[in-house]
């Protein structure tokens, strides 16, 4: 199984120059081979394969533009293959014609392939060996085992650098368990499980959201395209990134815990959640978290032989008494947090009751 590991890297001055040069060369060959393909097709009505494009790069472009030889050769080939992907997509899926890459493109990255130990991680020293860069300082928050396939070096708009290592690894499946759980996704909390575990949204996110709002207000007072304007933009990008990282780390912890402890996991599909009218700013932020959490649960369940069920039909999970099945329409009002079943007198917490119903419905659907 192929698994990706992403780490922050801290290139020194020379390494930064080399990385920038590689980004530039990749963009250059991407554009040049795209133009070559377009031209050959226009003139000779001949289609050009990705291997042809690669030959063209090696034989013509590298001769004419010597500086292309200064960067990693795999990075150039992969840039050509990326161009080919965009091209194939255009034919097969009738997507737009591939665009030429601009210098101002925000997405900067290149991919290099493993060969003869050219990529290696030194977890003890906190360094990663990369072609043409030698040892780059890296922050390893977790180790990996297995055969490295490729490495993608990228730079995000705030200026930070990352490397994603693709590793062929043998996955050790989690042990089978007899426990099942239902999840009620919430706005105030991230979710509550049918056995009563509540996962809160990390408080730190609120802090950074407030900061983000402030930074955005300040931006509106800056003169557009001035130096301070761009400075402010960068601060905003860093803040966004911070929120994204905190959220992702937290969601990984939550999804890992839920998957480890349960064999069958049931949640509502997100369409249902979208029907909930909520005008809070928090809503859009929750959408991202819900989407990411359900995505992680999906693939982690698959990795570990678990079953993840999404209930997609409309289902009145909050209104039904999880003890006796009585439907209490008074609960439609979202402000009712706790209620007592008029029929069986069971006392319910709104979200916990919903989570229990979601589990029951999921198990019913699969039975
Ligand atoms: Zn009841």
């Amino acid at each position: 199984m192929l698994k990706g590991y992403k780490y922050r890297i801290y290139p020194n001055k020379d390494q930064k120059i080399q990385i920038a040069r590689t980004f530039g060369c990749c963009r250059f060959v991407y554009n040049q081979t795209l133009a070559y393909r377009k031209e050959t097709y226009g003139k000779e009505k001949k289609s050009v394969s990705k291997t042809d494009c690669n030959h063209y790069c090696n034989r013509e472009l590298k001769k004419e533009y010597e500086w292309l030889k200064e960067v990693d050769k795999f990075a150039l080939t992969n840039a050509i293959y990326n161009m080919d992907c965009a091209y194939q997509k255009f034919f097969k899926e009738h997507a737009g014609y591939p665009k030429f890459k601009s210098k101002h493109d925000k997405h900067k990255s290149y991919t290099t392939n493993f060969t003869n130990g050219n990529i290696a991680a030194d977890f003890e020293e906190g360094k990663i060996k990369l072609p043409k860069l030698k040892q780059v300082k890296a922050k390893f928050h977790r180790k990996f085992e297995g055969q490295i396939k490729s490495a993608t070096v990228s730079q995000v708009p705030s200026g930070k650098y990352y490397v994603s290592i693709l590793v062929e690894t043998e996955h050790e499946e989690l042990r089978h368990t007899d426990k099942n759980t239902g999840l009620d996704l919430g706005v105030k909390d991230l979710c509550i499980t049918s056995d009563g575990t509540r996962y809160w949204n990390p408080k730190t996110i609120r802090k950074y959201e407030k900061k983000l709002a402030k930074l955005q207000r300040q931006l509106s007072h800056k003169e557009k395209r001035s130096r301070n304007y761009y400075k402010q933009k960068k601060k905003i990008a860093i803040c966004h990134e911070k929120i994204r990282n905190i959220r992702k780390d937290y969601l990984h912890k939550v999804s890992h815990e839920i998957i480890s402890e349960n064999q069958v996991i049931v949640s509502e599909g997100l369409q249902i959640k979208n029907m909930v009218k909520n005008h809070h700013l928090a809503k859009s932020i929750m959408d991202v978290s819900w989407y990411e959490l359900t995505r992680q649960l999906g693939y982690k369940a698959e990795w570990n032989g678990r079953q993840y069920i999404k209930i997609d039909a409309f289902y009145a999970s909050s209104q039904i008494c999880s003890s006796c099945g009585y439907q209490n329409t008074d609960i439609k009002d979202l402000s009712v947090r706790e209620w007592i079943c008029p029929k069986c007198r069971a006392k319910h917490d709104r979200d916990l009751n919903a989570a229990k119903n979601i589990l029951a419905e999921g198990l019913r659907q699969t039975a």
Side-chain angles (χ1 to χ4, degrees):
M1 174 192 288
L2 287 173
K3 260 186 167 180
Y5 295 86
K6 193 170 179 178
Y7 304 109
R8 174 126 184 237
I9 51 170
Y10 303 85
N12 62 29
K13 211 173 148 198
D14 289 339
Q15 288 166 335
K16 279 182 187 169
I17 293 170
Q18 182 62 18
I19 291 172
R21 194 181 277 153
T22 315
F23 289 151
C25 288
C26 285
R27 192 179 66 238
F28 182 79
V29 298
Y30 183 104
N31 289 341
Q32 289 288 319
T33 51
L34 179 61
Y36 167 68
R37 198 169 210 175
K38 222 172 159 180
E39 253 180 59
T40 316
Y41 190 77
K43 272 194 217 146
E44 305 165 29
K45 288 274 167 268
K46 212 173 79 185
S47 63
V48 179
S49 73
K50 65 178 180 184
T51 333
D52 295 335
C53 288
N54 206 26
H55 283 324
Y56 169 72
C57 174
N58 286 333
R59 288 179 196 149
E60 315 273 334
L61 293 178
K62 280 186 187 168
K63 209 172 278 170
E64 196 174 342
Y65 309 99
E66 289 254 313
W67 37 265
L68 286 176
K69 290 178 191 161
E70 290 169 25
V71 304
D72 177 61
K73 62 179 184 223
F74 292 118
L76 300 181
T77 303
N78 286 324
I80 294 167
Y81 288 2
N82 278 343
M83 180 277 295
D84 184 67
C85 270
Y87 206 76
Q88 297 303 337
K89 224 176 165 173
F90 158 68
F91 276 112
K92 284 188 195 139
E93 298 168 27
H94 306 282
Y97 193 82
K99 284 194 187 81
F100 289 99
K101 284 213 188 291
S102 146
K103 206 174 187 169
H104 305 292
D105 202 340
K106 273 189 186 162
H107 185 80
K108 289 182 188 156
S109 78
Y110 73 83
T111 299
T112 177
N113 304 350
F114 178 87
T115 178
N116 296 327
N118 61 344
I119 306 165
D122 186 338
F123 297 116
E124 271 64 53
E125 291 290 312
K127 278 175 182 165
I128 183 148
K129 185 180 158 196
L130 291 165
K132 300 271 179 189
L133 297 173
K134 297 195 180 104
Q135 301 291 340
V136 185
K137 213 177 126 199
K139 196 169 150 193
F140 295 111
H141 51 281
R142 57 179 179 156
K143 290 184 184 180
F144 62 79
E145 268 174 54
Q147 176 62 55
I148 298 174
K149 292 282 170 194
S150 66
T152 300
V153 176
S154 60
Q155 190 186 18
V156 294
S158 67
K160 289 176 193 160
Y161 294 85
Y162 292 89
V163 65
S164 294
I165 312 286
L166 198 62
V167 183
E168 177 78 60
T169 163
E170 265 185 47
H171 176 70
E172 221 176 288
E173 233 176 63
L174 290 168
R175 226 186 298 151
H176 183 95
T177 152
D178 291 325
K179 270 185 74 189
N180 303 325
T181 195
L183 307 177
D184 183 53
L185 305 172
V187 175
K188 214 170 103 258
D189 332 326
L190 174 69
C191 73
I192 179 165
T193 69
S194 51
D195 56 18
T197 310
R198 227 175 253 276
Y199 293 100
W200 307 99
N201 283 303
K203 275 203 187 108
T204 38
I205 286 202
R206 279 298 298 145
K207 193 183 102 192
Y208 283 104
E209 275 166 14
K210 273 188 197 149
K211 194 179 161 196
L212 186 64
K214 192 176 155 200
L215 290 171
Q216 261 154 351
R217 267 198 314 276
Q218 287 169 341
L219 181 73
S220 63
H221 300 301
K222 304 256 188 272
E223 195 188 325
K224 270 203 176 155
R225 279 177 279 278
S226 67
R227 234 180 114 179
N228 284 328
Y229 177 81
Y230 286 113
K231 251 194 198 163
Q232 189 73 13
K233 279 271 227 193
K234 191 166 174 181
K235 277 188 201 163
I236 289 173
I238 291 171
C239 196
H240 265 298
E241 229 171 83
K242 198 97 196 168
I243 293 173
R244 236 185 348 257
N245 290 341
I246 296 171
R247 175 163 50 214
K248 215 161 184 170
D249 279 355
Y250 177 67
L251 293 178
H252 271 300
K253 272 185 208 130
V254 174
S255 62
H256 179 76
E257 201 172 295
I258 292 172
I259 291 288
S260 307
E261 290 173 3
N262 299 284
Q263 194 62 31
V264 180
I265 300 98
V266 190
S267 81
E268 290 164 288
L270 295 185
Q271 300 91 305
I272 296 179
K273 283 292 168 190
N274 287 336
M275 287 162 73
V276 180
K277 291 266 176 294
N278 191 321
H279 300 288
H280 287 286
L281 171 91
K283 177 64 172 64
S284 63
I285 292 150
M286 278 319 298
D287 279 346
V288 184
S289 292
W290 288 340
Y291 174 78
E292 180 59 22
L293 179 65
T294 53
R295 187 186 74 85
Q296 291 181 5
L297 287 171
Y299 77 77
K300 288 182 185 178
E302 202 167 309
W303 280 0
N304 294 291
R306 276 23 183 176
Q307 201 177 2
Y308 175 44
I309 302 161
K310 279 191 208 174
I311 309 176
D312 274 329
F314 178 73
Y315 181 66
S317 57
S318 339
Q319 296 175 28
I320 295 165
C321 167
S322 59
S323 308
C324 75
Y326 176 80
Q327 185 163 359
N328 185 357
T329 44
D330 296 347
I331 311 306
K332 271 186 186 156
D333 183 355
L334 278 170
S335 65
V336 181
R337 305 309 308 167
E338 279 179 353
W339 56 287
I340 292 170
C341 174
K343 204 176 152 201
C344 75
R345 311 303 298 167
K347 197 174 172 224
H348 293 303
D349 168 278
R350 182 194 186 88
D351 304 328
L352 179 57
N353 179 58
K356 284 180 182 167
N357 284 329
I358 288 165
L359 172 61
E361 178 62 14
L363 294 175
R364 192 188 65 77
Q365 283 186 12
T366 51

